[in-house]
Structures are given as structure tokens and as C-alpha cells.
Amino acid sequence: MSFKAEGLHARNFKTWRTVIALMLREMATSYGRSPGGYLWAILEPVGGLAVMTIAFSMAFRSPALGNNFPLFYATGFLPFMMYMDVSNKISNSITFSRQLLFYPSVTYLDAIIARLLLNGLTQLLVFYMLMYGLLTIFDTGNILNYAAILNALGMALVLAFGVGVMNCFLLTRFPIWQRVWSIITRPLFIISTIFFILESIPQPFRDYLALNPLVHVVGEMRRGFYATYDATWVNPAFVYGVGLVLATLGLIFLARYHREILNR
């Protein structure tokens, strides 16, 4: 029994050592080679928020919630960006680490976990820094609901993980899926309620938009920043369910076909 426990402990240690090595490799290749490195992870959303704030503040007197344009758009744009960045990075896990996956000590699951941890932590840090900066600079006086904020972040990451794992299989198994997926997701930026709130949309289109899990993520995030916004329509179970189902199916398919994918 003790030998089994020791073997399991050694295998777990080996797995985490591999994951950390993959994270360090990605940090060096993705951020270490470009001028500014991690600074661009912050400047990119800052630039996006600045453009949206300038454009919409000229067209409207006030945002749909509160009276601060940067904060309103940040509560929609940052969770959306977190989902997009993490899901895209996970979906390219096998492609990014293909050469390393031929080593017996490195598995496709190690590559997926490494990208989830590194890019998830990066996006969480960017979210914290930008939100802290906005609340400090503008002194909006918002009463924060930390439980709702953390729930929204969890929803975004679980959904990103599920979509990323499923796409990790589909993109490597069926290369044409890259084009199909880009067409399907092109309207996401517009229909994820970044620029408006769901309540402003008339029926039956409101119910159609609610089928987009990102709408629930954004709604929950705004419930966390605006005390007067209850967003009773938000359904976390729906978002977590979609993410976990996609993750389960993706892992099942990868377990079945990963060797064929690597040997192509």
C-alpha cells in the first residue's frame, strides 16, 4: 500500500513539475521575446476601454448603469477578454507544445493545465489592476459585491476551459474548424452585452441573447459592481454546466484521438 502511495506521490510531483516547466517556457516565448512583455497584457485592454469610452461618451450622456463610462465598459469587456484569451490559448495547447508531447513525461493534459493556469492567472491580475485603477482614479463610490465578482470570474474561466478543451480537439482533428469557429464567434463582441444591458433588449430577442453564456458572465459581473442592479435572470448553473460538459467531452475525445493527432 505504501508503495502505491509513494508511486502516486511521485507521479503527481512529476506532473506538476512538467506543468510548471511548460508555464515557464510559455512565459519566455510569449512574453519574454516581445518589447514590453507583460506590459502589453495591460495596455491592450486599457486601449480598448479608452476607445470605447471616447466613442460612446460622445453619443450618450451616461452609460446604462451608473455614471462612469470606463467602469461600465470594463465590467463587460474584461470578463469577455478573459474568456477569449484563455479559451484561445487552451485551444492551441497541442499545437503550441506539439514537439514536447512526443516525450513520455509530457502529456496533452499537462499542456492544457499549464496554459489554463498561466493565462488564467495573467487575466486575473490584469482584471485586478485595471479595476483597482478605475475605482481609485474615478472614486465612483460603488459598493462591491465580492461574491458576485468572484462568481463571474469563475464562470468566465470554467466556460473558457470547456470551450478551449473542446476546440483543442476540434482544431487539431478537423483543421477546417478554425474557419468555421471564427465565423461563428465573430458577432460575440456585439451580442455579449458589453455595450448595453440585457434588460434594454425587447422580447423575444432578449431570450435569444440569454442563450449566450457570456451574457450571464457579464450580467453577474455588473451585479457585483452595481448595488442597484439585481440581474435576477443570471443563471450560473447554465454557464458552469456548458463549460463542464464541453470540457468533459473534449477530454474524452482527446484521450481517444490524441496519439493520432500527434502522429499526423
Side-chain angles (χ1 to χ4, degrees):
M1 188 71 177
S2 60
F3 290 110
K4 291 183 179 179
E6 290 176 4
L8 181 61
H9 176 74
R11 186 163 59 250
N12 289 338
F13 176 76
K14 186 177 180 180
T15 296
W16 284 111
R17 187 174 61 181
T18 303
V19 168
I20 293 172
L22 289 171
M23 291 173 65
L24 293 174
R25 171 179 175 267
E26 182 170 353
M27 289 174 65
T29 55
S30 299
Y31 299 100
R33 294 180 180 176
S34 61
Y38 268 97
L39 185 61
W40 287 110
I42 300 173
L43 293 179
E44 183 179 357
V46 168
L49 288 174
V51 170
M52 285 188 287
T53 298
I54 294 171
F56 286 93
S57 62
M58 292 190 296
F60 303 99
R61 290 185 176 182
S62 61
L65 292 173
N67 53 17
N68 186 276
F69 279 99
L71 182 61
F72 176 75
Y73 294 127
T75 54
F77 180 64
L78 292 182
F80 175 84
M81 188 184 72
M82 177 182 293
Y83 159 80
M84 290 296 294
D85 182 75
V86 175
S87 64
N88 286 338
K89 293 292 176 59
I90 292 176
S91 60
N92 289 296
S93 297
I94 290 181
T95 303
F96 183 79
S97 301
R98 178 179 291 272
Q99 298 303 319
L100 296 176
L101 294 177
F102 287 102
Y103 293 96
S105 59
V106 182
T107 69
Y108 67 91
L109 195 56
D110 294 332
I112 289 174
I113 293 174
R115 299 210 101 183
L116 171 65
L117 291 178
L118 175 60
N119 295 287
L121 290 173
T122 299
Q123 290 301 318
L124 287 173
L125 179 61
V126 170
F127 175 85
Y128 173 78
M129 294 178 65
L130 291 184
M131 283 304 191
Y132 180 81
L134 287 175
L135 294 174
T136 302
I137 293 172
F138 294 103
D139 192 21
T140 59
N142 290 57
I143 300 174
L144 304 185
N145 181 342
Y146 292 102
I149 294 172
L150 291 175
N151 189 33
L153 294 173
M155 290 160 64
L157 289 175
V158 170
L159 181 64
F161 178 69
V163 172
V165 170
M166 192 66 192
N167 277 339
C168 186
F169 165 72
L170 292 173
L171 292 175
T172 49
R173 180 73 174 174
F174 310 104
I176 195 174
W177 179 249
Q178 177 73 55
R179 295 181 179 273
V180 175
W181 183 248
S182 65
I183 294 173
I184 294 174
T185 57
R186 197 163 294 168
L188 268 184
F189 190 72
I190 299 174
I191 64 173
S192 295
T193 63
I194 296 173
F195 309 107
F196 54 90
I197 58 175
L198 186 65
E199 289 82 352
S200 65
I201 304 300
Q203 293 287 17
F205 304 106
R206 184 187 305 175
D207 290 338
Y208 298 153
L209 280 183
L211 296 176
N212 175 6
L214 286 171
V215 171
H216 297 262
V217 175
V218 173
E220 183 72 353
M221 182 64 71
R222 286 180 171 149
R223 190 171 73 88
F225 278 86
Y226 297 94
T228 58
Y229 187 57
D230 54 9
T232 55
W233 48 268
V234 171
N235 188 351
F238 168 62
V239 181
Y240 286 121
V242 170
L244 293 175
V245 167
L246 289 176
T248 301
L249 291 175
L251 291 173
I252 291 173
F253 289 135
L254 284 173
R256 168 64 178 82
Y257 294 103
H258 73 278
R259 295 189 183 278
E260 295 180 22
I261 292 170
L262 289 176
N263 292 326
R264 284 188 173 187

Short mmCIF file of all heavy atoms in Angstrom, two decimals, residues 194-229:
data_model
loop_
_atom_site.label_atom_id
_atom_site.label_comp_id
_atom_site.label_asym_id
_atom_site.label_seq_id
_atom_site.Cartn_x
_atom_site.Cartn_y
_atom_site.Cartn_z
N ILE A 194 -21.68 43.85 -23.85
CA ILE A 194 -20.60 44.70 -23.38
C ILE A 194 -21.01 46.16 -23.40
O ILE A 194 -20.66 46.93 -22.51
CB ILE A 194 -19.33 44.48 -24.25
CG1 ILE A 194 -18.83 43.04 -24.10
CG2 ILE A 194 -18.23 45.47 -23.88
CD1 ILE A 194 -17.71 42.69 -25.04
N PHE A 195 -21.80 46.55 -24.41
CA PHE A 195 -22.16 47.94 -24.60
C PHE A 195 -23.53 48.31 -24.04
O PHE A 195 -23.92 49.47 -24.04
CB PHE A 195 -22.16 48.28 -26.11
CG PHE A 195 -20.90 47.87 -26.80
CD1 PHE A 195 -20.87 46.79 -27.65
CD2 PHE A 195 -19.71 48.56 -26.58
CE1 PHE A 195 -19.71 46.41 -28.29
CE2 PHE A 195 -18.54 48.19 -27.21
CZ PHE A 195 -18.53 47.10 -28.07
N PHE A 196 -24.28 47.32 -23.58
CA PHE A 196 -25.64 47.57 -23.11
C PHE A 196 -25.98 46.53 -22.06
O PHE A 196 -25.18 45.64 -21.75
CB PHE A 196 -26.63 47.52 -24.28
CG PHE A 196 -26.55 46.23 -25.09
CD1 PHE A 196 -27.32 45.13 -24.77
CD2 PHE A 196 -25.68 46.13 -26.17
CE1 PHE A 196 -27.25 43.95 -25.49
CE2 PHE A 196 -25.59 44.95 -26.91
CZ PHE A 196 -26.38 43.87 -26.57
N ILE A 197 -27.16 46.63 -21.49
CA ILE A 197 -27.62 45.61 -20.55
C ILE A 197 -28.75 44.82 -21.19
O ILE A 197 -29.46 45.33 -22.07
CB ILE A 197 -28.08 46.23 -19.21
CG1 ILE A 197 -29.20 47.25 -19.44
CG2 ILE A 197 -26.91 46.87 -18.49
CD1 ILE A 197 -29.77 47.82 -18.16
N LEU A 198 -28.92 43.60 -20.76
CA LEU A 198 -29.90 42.71 -21.39
C LEU A 198 -31.31 43.27 -21.28
O LEU A 198 -32.12 43.09 -22.19
CB LEU A 198 -29.83 41.33 -20.74
CG LEU A 198 -30.68 40.23 -21.37
CD1 LEU A 198 -30.20 39.92 -22.78
CD2 LEU A 198 -30.66 38.97 -20.53
N GLU A 199 -31.61 43.96 -20.19
CA GLU A 199 -32.97 44.47 -19.96
C GLU A 199 -33.39 45.50 -21.01
O GLU A 199 -34.58 45.77 -21.18
CB GLU A 199 -33.06 45.11 -18.57
CG GLU A 199 -33.03 44.11 -17.42
CD GLU A 199 -31.63 43.69 -17.05
OE1 GLU A 199 -30.66 44.05 -17.79
OE2 GLU A 199 -31.47 43.00 -16.03
N SER A 200 -32.43 46.09 -21.71
CA SER A 200 -32.76 47.10 -22.72
C SER A 200 -33.21 46.49 -24.04
O SER A 200 -33.66 47.21 -24.93
CB SER A 200 -31.55 48.01 -22.96
OG SER A 200 -30.47 47.28 -23.54
N ILE A 201 -33.10 45.17 -24.16
CA ILE A 201 -33.47 44.48 -25.40
C ILE A 201 -34.89 43.96 -25.29
O ILE A 201 -35.25 43.29 -24.30
CB ILE A 201 -32.51 43.31 -25.68
CG1 ILE A 201 -31.06 43.81 -25.73
CG2 ILE A 201 -32.87 42.62 -26.98
CD1 ILE A 201 -30.79 44.84 -26.78
N PRO A 202 -35.74 44.25 -26.28
CA PRO A 202 -37.13 43.76 -26.21
C PRO A 202 -37.22 42.26 -26.46
O PRO A 202 -36.32 41.65 -27.03
CB PRO A 202 -37.82 44.56 -27.33
CG PRO A 202 -36.71 44.87 -28.31
CD PRO A 202 -35.48 45.07 -27.48
N GLN A 203 -38.32 41.69 -26.01
CA GLN A 203 -38.60 40.29 -26.28
C GLN A 203 -39.04 40.14 -27.74
O GLN A 203 -39.58 41.07 -28.32
CB GLN A 203 -39.71 39.78 -25.35
CG GLN A 203 -39.31 39.72 -23.90
CD GLN A 203 -38.35 38.57 -23.61
OE1 GLN A 203 -37.72 38.01 -24.52
NE2 GLN A 203 -38.20 38.24 -22.34
N PRO A 204 -38.83 39.03 -28.39
CA PRO A 204 -38.22 37.77 -27.86
C PRO A 204 -36.70 37.75 -27.98
O PRO A 204 -36.07 36.77 -27.63
CB PRO A 204 -38.84 36.71 -28.76
CG PRO A 204 -38.96 37.40 -30.09
CD PRO A 204 -39.32 38.84 -29.77
N PHE A 205 -36.09 38.86 -28.47
CA PHE A 205 -34.65 38.87 -28.70
C PHE A 205 -33.87 38.77 -27.39
O PHE A 205 -32.75 38.27 -27.37
CB PHE A 205 -34.27 40.14 -29.47
CG PHE A 205 -35.01 40.30 -30.76
CD1 PHE A 205 -36.03 41.23 -30.88
CD2 PHE A 205 -34.72 39.49 -31.84
CE1 PHE A 205 -36.72 41.37 -32.07
CE2 PHE A 205 -35.41 39.61 -33.04
CZ PHE A 205 -36.42 40.55 -33.15
N ARG A 206 -34.47 39.23 -26.30
CA ARG A 206 -33.81 39.13 -25.01
C ARG A 206 -33.55 37.67 -24.63
O ARG A 206 -32.49 37.32 -24.15
CB ARG A 206 -34.64 39.81 -23.93
CG ARG A 206 -33.97 39.84 -22.56
CD ARG A 206 -34.92 40.37 -21.51
NE ARG A 206 -35.45 41.68 -21.86
CZ ARG A 206 -36.37 42.33 -21.17
NH1 ARG A 206 -36.88 41.76 -20.07
NH2 ARG A 206 -36.79 43.51 -21.55
N ASP A 207 -34.56 36.83 -24.87
CA ASP A 207 -34.39 35.40 -24.55
C ASP A 207 -33.36 34.74 -25.45
O ASP A 207 -32.64 33.83 -25.02
CB ASP A 207 -35.73 34.68 -24.68
CG ASP A 207 -36.71 35.08 -23.58
OD1 ASP A 207 -36.26 35.57 -22.54
OD2 ASP A 207 -37.93 34.92 -23.79
N TYR A 208 -33.30 35.20 -26.71
CA TYR A 208 -32.30 34.65 -27.62
C TYR A 208 -30.89 35.00 -27.16
O TYR A 208 -29.99 34.15 -27.15
CB TYR A 208 -32.52 35.17 -29.04
CG TYR A 208 -33.85 34.79 -29.65
CD1 TYR A 208 -34.45 35.59 -30.63
CD2 TYR A 208 -34.52 33.63 -29.25
CE1 TYR A 208 -35.66 35.25 -31.18
CE2 TYR A 208 -35.73 33.28 -29.80
CZ TYR A 208 -36.31 34.09 -30.77
OH TYR A 208 -37.53 33.76 -31.32
N LEU A 209 -30.68 36.24 -26.75
CA LEU A 209 -29.37 36.67 -26.27
C LEU A 209 -28.96 35.93 -25.00
O LEU A 209 -27.78 35.67 -24.78
CB LEU A 209 -29.37 38.18 -26.01
CG LEU A 209 -29.21 39.12 -27.21
CD1 LEU A 209 -29.17 40.56 -26.75
CD2 LEU A 209 -27.96 38.78 -28.00
N ALA A 210 -29.96 35.60 -24.17
CA ALA A 210 -29.67 34.91 -22.91
C ALA A 210 -29.14 33.50 -23.13
O ALA A 210 -28.63 32.87 -22.20
CB ALA A 210 -30.92 34.87 -22.04
N LEU A 211 -29.24 32.99 -24.37
CA LEU A 211 -28.67 31.68 -24.68
C LEU A 211 -27.15 31.75 -24.80
O LEU A 211 -26.48 30.71 -24.83
CB LEU A 211 -29.27 31.14 -25.98
CG LEU A 211 -30.78 30.85 -25.96
CD1 LEU A 211 -31.26 30.43 -27.33
CD2 LEU A 211 -31.10 29.78 -24.93
N ASN A 212 -26.61 32.95 -24.89
CA ASN A 212 -25.17 33.15 -24.93
C ASN A 212 -24.63 33.15 -23.49
O ASN A 212 -24.94 34.05 -22.71
CB ASN A 212 -24.87 34.49 -25.61
CG ASN A 212 -23.39 34.85 -25.59
OD1 ASN A 212 -22.54 34.06 -25.17
ND2 ASN A 212 -23.09 36.05 -26.04
N PRO A 213 -23.82 32.16 -23.10
CA PRO A 213 -23.35 32.10 -21.71
C PRO A 213 -22.59 33.35 -21.27
O PRO A 213 -22.61 33.70 -20.09
CB PRO A 213 -22.42 30.87 -21.72
CG PRO A 213 -22.88 30.04 -22.87
CD PRO A 213 -23.35 31.02 -23.89
N LEU A 214 -21.93 34.03 -22.20
CA LEU A 214 -21.17 35.23 -21.84
C LEU A 214 -22.06 36.35 -21.34
O LEU A 214 -21.63 37.20 -20.56
CB LEU A 214 -20.34 35.71 -23.03
CG LEU A 214 -19.12 34.86 -23.36
CD1 LEU A 214 -18.50 35.29 -24.68
CD2 LEU A 214 -18.09 34.93 -22.25
N VAL A 215 -23.31 36.37 -21.79
CA VAL A 215 -24.26 37.38 -21.30
C VAL A 215 -24.47 37.21 -19.80
O VAL A 215 -24.56 38.20 -19.05
CB VAL A 215 -25.59 37.26 -22.07
CG1 VAL A 215 -26.66 38.14 -21.43
CG2 VAL A 215 -25.39 37.65 -23.53
N HIS A 216 -24.50 35.98 -19.33
CA HIS A 216 -24.67 35.71 -17.90
C HIS A 216 -23.41 36.08 -17.13
O HIS A 216 -23.50 36.57 -16.00
CB HIS A 216 -25.01 34.23 -17.70
CG HIS A 216 -26.30 33.82 -18.32
ND1 HIS A 216 -27.49 33.72 -17.61
CD2 HIS A 216 -26.62 33.50 -19.60
CE1 HIS A 216 -28.46 33.34 -18.42
NE2 HIS A 216 -27.95 33.20 -19.64
N VAL A 217 -22.25 35.86 -17.72
CA VAL A 217 -20.99 36.24 -17.08
C VAL A 217 -20.94 37.75 -16.88
O VAL A 217 -20.63 38.24 -15.78
CB VAL A 217 -19.79 35.77 -17.93
CG1 VAL A 217 -18.48 36.28 -17.32
CG2 VAL A 217 -19.76 34.25 -18.03
N VAL A 218 -21.26 38.49 -17.93
CA VAL A 218 -21.23 39.96 -17.86
C VAL A 218 -22.30 40.47 -16.89
O VAL A 218 -22.04 41.38 -16.09
CB VAL A 218 -21.43 40.57 -19.26
CG1 VAL A 218 -21.57 42.09 -19.16
CG2 VAL A 218 -20.25 40.21 -20.16
N GLY A 219 -23.48 39.88 -16.93
CA GLY A 219 -24.55 40.29 -16.02
C GLY A 219 -24.17 40.09 -14.57
O GLY A 219 -24.42 40.94 -13.71
N GLU A 220 -23.53 38.96 -14.26
CA GLU A 220 -23.10 38.68 -12.90
C GLU A 220 -21.99 39.65 -12.47
O GLU A 220 -21.95 40.09 -11.31
CB GLU A 220 -22.61 37.24 -12.79
CG GLU A 220 -22.19 36.81 -11.40
CD GLU A 220 -23.34 36.63 -10.43
OE1 GLU A 220 -24.50 36.96 -10.80
OE2 GLU A 220 -23.10 36.14 -9.32
N MET A 221 -21.09 39.95 -13.40
CA MET A 221 -20.02 40.90 -13.07
C MET A 221 -20.60 42.27 -12.76
O MET A 221 -20.17 42.93 -11.79
CB MET A 221 -19.04 40.99 -14.25
CG MET A 221 -17.86 41.92 -13.99
SD MET A 221 -16.80 41.35 -12.64
CE MET A 221 -16.03 39.92 -13.40
N ARG A 222 -21.56 42.72 -13.53
CA ARG A 222 -22.15 44.04 -13.28
C ARG A 222 -22.99 44.03 -12.01
O ARG A 222 -23.07 45.05 -11.32
CB ARG A 222 -22.98 44.46 -14.50
CG ARG A 222 -22.08 44.88 -15.65
CD ARG A 222 -22.81 45.33 -16.88
NE ARG A 222 -21.84 45.91 -17.82
CZ ARG A 222 -21.96 45.86 -19.13
NH1 ARG A 222 -23.02 45.25 -19.69
NH2 ARG A 222 -21.04 46.41 -19.92
N ARG A 223 -23.57 42.90 -11.67
CA ARG A 223 -24.28 42.80 -10.39
C ARG A 223 -23.30 42.98 -9.24
O ARG A 223 -23.67 43.50 -8.18
CB ARG A 223 -24.98 41.45 -10.28
CG ARG A 223 -25.93 41.33 -9.11
CD ARG A 223 -26.74 40.05 -9.20
NE ARG A 223 -25.93 38.89 -8.89
CZ ARG A 223 -25.76 38.40 -7.66
NH1 ARG A 223 -26.34 39.01 -6.62
NH2 ARG A 223 -25.02 37.34 -7.45
N GLY A 224 -22.05 42.58 -9.44
CA GLY A 224 -21.05 42.72 -8.41
C GLY A 224 -20.56 44.15 -8.23
O GLY A 224 -20.07 44.51 -7.15
N PHE A 225 -20.69 44.97 -9.27
CA PHE A 225 -20.17 46.34 -9.19
C PHE A 225 -21.27 47.38 -9.00
O PHE A 225 -20.97 48.51 -8.59
CB PHE A 225 -19.38 46.68 -10.46
CG PHE A 225 -17.96 46.18 -10.43
CD1 PHE A 225 -17.65 44.89 -10.83
CD2 PHE A 225 -16.94 46.98 -9.97
CE1 PHE A 225 -16.35 44.42 -10.79
CE2 PHE A 225 -15.63 46.53 -9.91
CZ PHE A 225 -15.33 45.24 -10.32
N TYR A 226 -22.51 47.02 -9.29
CA TYR A 226 -23.61 47.98 -9.17
C TYR A 226 -24.64 47.42 -8.19
O TYR A 226 -25.34 46.45 -8.50
CB TYR A 226 -24.25 48.24 -10.53
CG TYR A 226 -23.29 48.89 -11.52
CD1 TYR A 226 -22.57 48.11 -12.42
CD2 TYR A 226 -23.10 50.27 -11.54
CE1 TYR A 226 -21.69 48.67 -13.31
CE2 TYR A 226 -22.22 50.86 -12.44
CZ TYR A 226 -21.52 50.05 -13.33
OH TYR A 226 -20.64 50.63 -14.22
N ALA A 227 -24.73 48.05 -7.03
CA ALA A 227 -25.61 47.55 -5.97
C ALA A 227 -27.07 47.57 -6.36
O ALA A 227 -27.88 46.79 -5.85
CB ALA A 227 -25.39 48.36 -4.70
N THR A 228 -27.45 48.48 -7.27
CA THR A 228 -28.86 48.60 -7.67
C THR A 228 -29.23 47.66 -8.81
O THR A 228 -30.38 47.62 -9.23
CB THR A 228 -29.15 50.05 -8.10
OG1 THR A 228 -28.27 50.42 -9.18
CG2 THR A 228 -28.94 51.02 -6.94
N TYR A 229 -28.27 46.91 -9.31
CA TYR A 229 -28.52 46.02 -10.44
C TYR A 229 -28.62 44.59 -9.93
O TYR A 229 -27.62 43.97 -9.58
CB TYR A 229 -27.39 46.16 -11.46
CG TYR A 229 -27.63 45.41 -12.76
CD1 TYR A 229 -28.75 45.66 -13.54
CD2 TYR A 229 -26.71 44.47 -13.21
CE1 TYR A 229 -28.96 44.99 -14.73
CE2 TYR A 229 -26.91 43.79 -14.40
CZ TYR A 229 -28.04 44.05 -15.15
OH TYR A 229 -28.25 43.39 -16.34
#
